[in-house]
């Protein structure tokens, strides 16, 4: 089945949601295929048409997650910080189960670090472009690390509180935080 097929996407989403739900209480090595497919309301044979085991599912979902994030925030001279926030907030809101799976429940600091590095790279490129700079300084790296970690923490909290703020309120908050930081940036 083609990965662009709607049935495949529906199956992938159901399995990702089920895995995310199960990982709220268990480590991946404790989750069985039966448990996963029952939670996803799918037959085991459907699972095996697409994946060899739970780790295969996890790895493919992780790869797709980072492709999606990279595509959303890839540097483009028409992008601004606001675009970056809009893209992240929309993605996190509409794909909260995947975000939770890799950022909140994974306990995998390497996944969180990979996310941070991906965002930082694009953030710095936007900063260089917007401020017409040609070199990334150490001070810029410190500000970027601080800013990205803060933004990710805010997004994590937003997800953990089950979206207590609306998307609009979240965008306004991120923009407000960005504006305050811009006043002291070099």
């Amino acid at each position: 089945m083609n990965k662009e097929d709607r049935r495949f996407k529906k199956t992938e989403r159901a399995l990702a949601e089920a895995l995310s739900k199960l990982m709220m209480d268990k480590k991946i090595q404790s989750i069985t295929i039966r448990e996963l497919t029952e939670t996803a309301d799918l037959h085991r044979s459907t699972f095996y048409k697409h994946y060899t085991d739970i780790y295969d599912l996890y790895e493919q979902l992780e790869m797709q997650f980072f492709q999606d994030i990279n595509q959303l925030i890839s540097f483009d001279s028409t992008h601004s910080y606001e675009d970056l926030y809009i893209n992240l907030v929309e993605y996190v809101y509409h794909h909260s189960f995947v975000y939770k799976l890799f950022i909140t429940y994974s306990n995998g600091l390497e996944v969180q670090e990979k996310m941070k590095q991906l965002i930082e790279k694009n953030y710095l490129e936007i900063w260089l472009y917007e401020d017409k700079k040609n070199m990334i300084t150490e001070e810029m790296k410190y500000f970027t690390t601080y800013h990205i970690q803060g933004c990710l923490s805010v997004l994590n909290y937003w997800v953990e509180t089950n979206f207590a703020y609306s998307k609009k309120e979240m965008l306004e908050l991120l923009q407000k935080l960005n504006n305050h930081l811009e006043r002291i940036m070099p």
Side-chain angles (χ1 to χ4, degrees), residues 64-123:
Q64 186 63 52
F65 172 72
F66 281 108
Q67 285 176 353
D68 291 348
I69 295 295
N70 190 44
Q71 185 177 9
L72 289 172
I73 64 170
S74 287
F75 174 70
D76 175 334
S77 60
T78 62
H79 282 172
S80 66
Y81 294 119
E82 185 177 351
D83 294 334
L84 186 77
Y85 296 137
I86 289 169
N87 291 340
L88 278 173
V89 166
E90 285 292 329
Y91 184 85
V92 168
Y93 186 81
H94 292 290
H95 298 87
S96 62
F97 58 93
V98 176
Y99 187 84
K100 287 176 185 178
L101 180 63
F102 296 113
I103 303 302
T104 309
Y105 304 139
S106 73
N107 292 333
L109 295 176
E110 68 186 50
V111 174
Q112 293 179 33
E113 181 62 24
K114 188 174 176 182
M115 174 85 160
K116 182 181 83 78
Q117 287 175 0
L118 179 64
I119 294 172
E120 277 182 4
K121 175 185 171 288
N122 287 286
Y123 183 95

Side-chain angles (χ1 to χ4, degrees), residues 11-138:
T11 298
E12 182 182 55
R13 183 177 180 94
L15 289 168
E17 286 180 14
L19 185 59
S20 179
K21 181 186 262 184
L22 291 168
M23 286 185 70
M24 286 172 57
D25 301 316
K26 294 178 148 189
K27 293 191 180 289
I28 193 168
Q29 50 275 42
S30 302
I31 299 171
T32 66
I33 300 292
R34 173 175 285 163
E35 190 177 26
L36 178 68
T37 55
E38 284 175 1
T39 303
D41 196 24
L42 295 171
H43 196 276
R44 286 170 56 105
S45 63
T46 302
F47 175 86
Y48 285 115
K49 284 180 187 174
H50 303 285
Y51 308 101
T52 56
D53 57 24
I54 290 178
Y55 298 103
D56 182 35
L57 167 65
Y58 185 89
E59 287 172 11
Q60 287 189 42
L61 289 172
E62 182 181 351
M63 185 175 63
Q64 186 63 52
F65 172 72
F66 281 108
Q67 285 176 353
D68 291 348
I69 295 295
N70 190 44
Q71 185 177 9
L72 289 172
I73 64 170
S74 287
F75 174 70
D76 175 334
S77 60
T78 62
H79 282 172
S80 66
Y81 294 119
E82 185 177 351
D83 294 334
L84 186 77
Y85 296 137
I86 289 169
N87 291 340
L88 278 173
V89 166
E90 285 292 329
Y91 184 85
V92 168
Y93 186 81
H94 292 290
H95 298 87
S96 62
F97 58 93
V98 176
Y99 187 84
K100 287 176 185 178
L101 180 63
F102 296 113
I103 303 302
T104 309
Y105 304 139
S106 73
N107 292 333
L109 295 176
E110 68 186 50
V111 174
Q112 293 179 33
E113 181 62 24
K114 188 174 176 182
M115 174 85 160
K116 182 181 83 78
Q117 287 175 0
L118 179 64
I119 294 172
E120 277 182 4
K121 175 185 171 288
N122 287 286
Y123 183 95
L124 284 166
E125 288 178 7
I126 292 170
W127 191 355
L128 287 174
Y129 179 81
E130 285 187 349
D131 289 0
K132 296 174 181 35
K133 297 181 185 248
N134 57 9
M135 187 176 81
I136 297 170
T137 65
E138 278 303 304

